[in-house]
Amino acid sequence: LPVIRLKGNVINISCSTPGSKIYFTDNGSTPSFTAKDEYTKPFKLKKRVEIKAIAKVYGVNNSSLVVYK
């Protein structure tokens, strides 16, 4: 399950499941398993947005969708 943390204006998303990739959006839509939605590093927020994240391990069911408002 992804964990979304806000510190100041920086968002960090992590998952403790080994081998998982995290996919996210910051526009309220559901993330897709594509390179454009893959989380790779913390990022700064310019305004308050709804972030959705999901973790995926190849060959295993997806995690639940996590929403941060």
Side-chain angles (χ1 to χ4, degrees), residues 7-25:
K7 184 173 183 179
N9 67 338
V10 177
I11 289 285
N12 185 31
I13 308 173
S14 60
C15 183
S16 62
T17 304
S20 63
K21 288 188 175 186
I22 299 169
Y23 298 88
F24 81 101
T25 59

Side-chain angles (χ1 to χ4, degrees), residues 2-51:
V3 176
I4 303 170
R5 291 187 177 90
L6 176 65
K7 184 173 183 179
N9 67 338
V10 177
I11 289 285
N12 185 31
I13 308 173
S14 60
C15 183
S16 62
T17 304
S20 63
K21 288 188 175 186
I22 299 169
Y23 298 88
F24 81 101
T25 59
D26 60 3
N27 62 7
S29 66
T30 300
S32 59
F33 300 118
T34 61
K36 74 174 185 67
D37 286 349
E38 186 174 351
Y39 174 81
T40 57
K41 61 184 179 183
F43 60 95
K44 289 184 179 180
L45 288 180
K46 296 179 182 160
K47 62 180 181 175
R48 193 90 169 146
V49 295
E50 181 178 80
I51 297 171

